[in-house]
Amino acid sequence: MAPAPQHHTEDELIPRPERTAGALRAALARVAPSRLEEMQRTMDEAFSQAIDHKSLAPIQAWLLVWAQHIEIARRVDLRTRYQQAQDVLAMYDKHEHDDEGAVNKALAEISAVLDEAQQAVRG
């Protein structure tokens, strides 16, 4: 695991944390504390799966997924793009618009944000 950067730009709320459970939990507490319970629940599930399958793969996947979530939450640019796309989808779900082109564009944007976040945390 690479050490966390010692600095961050003004577009980053906090530096990128190391990909460890403790570092990710501490980072999430700063950028999205309302998701701590969800993080714990999914960590418990990952550990249970790891035991059941006698494999570290579920834990490694959990670490990567939460590093990705935190990357989006800590970077203003990614967070803004993700939230705007989510807003378009929410409006569609509430029948506030029926623009399927906007929905497709929003889905593509969410996919792009997730890809960018994953590339960033994988280094």
Side-chain angles (χ1 to χ4, degrees):
M1 251 167 280
Q6 297 302 311
H7 66 282
H8 61 277
T9 69
E10 59 189 48
D11 290 337
E12 299 172 343
L13 301 177
I14 62 170
R16 180 176 298 124
E18 291 183 26
R19 206 178 331 158
T20 65
L24 293 174
R25 185 179 300 109
L28 189 66
R30 292 186 60 201
V31 297
S34 64
R35 297 191 69 192
L36 284 168
E37 189 174 306
E38 174 190 2
M39 179 189 227
Q40 183 63 49
R41 181 180 43 74
T42 60
M43 183 177 82
D44 293 345
E45 291 168 1
F47 274 80
S48 179
Q49 290 173 1
I51 292 167
D52 290 346
H53 299 291
K54 296 179 175 77
S55 170
L56 291 177
I59 297 169
Q60 293 168 328
W62 177 85
L63 289 168
L64 182 59
V65 165
W66 280 96
Q68 183 182 41
H69 288 313
I70 292 163
E71 185 70 13
I72 293 167
R74 75 177 198 86
R75 286 183 43 194
V76 175
D77 62 326
L78 292 182
R79 178 185 263 191
T80 300
R81 289 170 49 204
Y82 189 82
Q83 189 57 56
Q84 287 173 342
Q86 289 285 354
D87 290 347
V88 170
L89 297 178
M91 289 172 57
Y92 182 80
D93 285 345
K94 293 177 187 175
H95 305 288
E96 294 176 9
H97 74 81
D98 61 359
D99 185 350
E100 291 184 16
V103 168
N104 290 335
K105 186 176 178 183
L107 290 170
E109 183 66 0
I110 288 170
S111 180
V113 167
L114 292 170
D115 288 347
E116 188 173 334
Q118 188 169 91
Q119 285 181 332
V121 299
R122 284 189 173 204

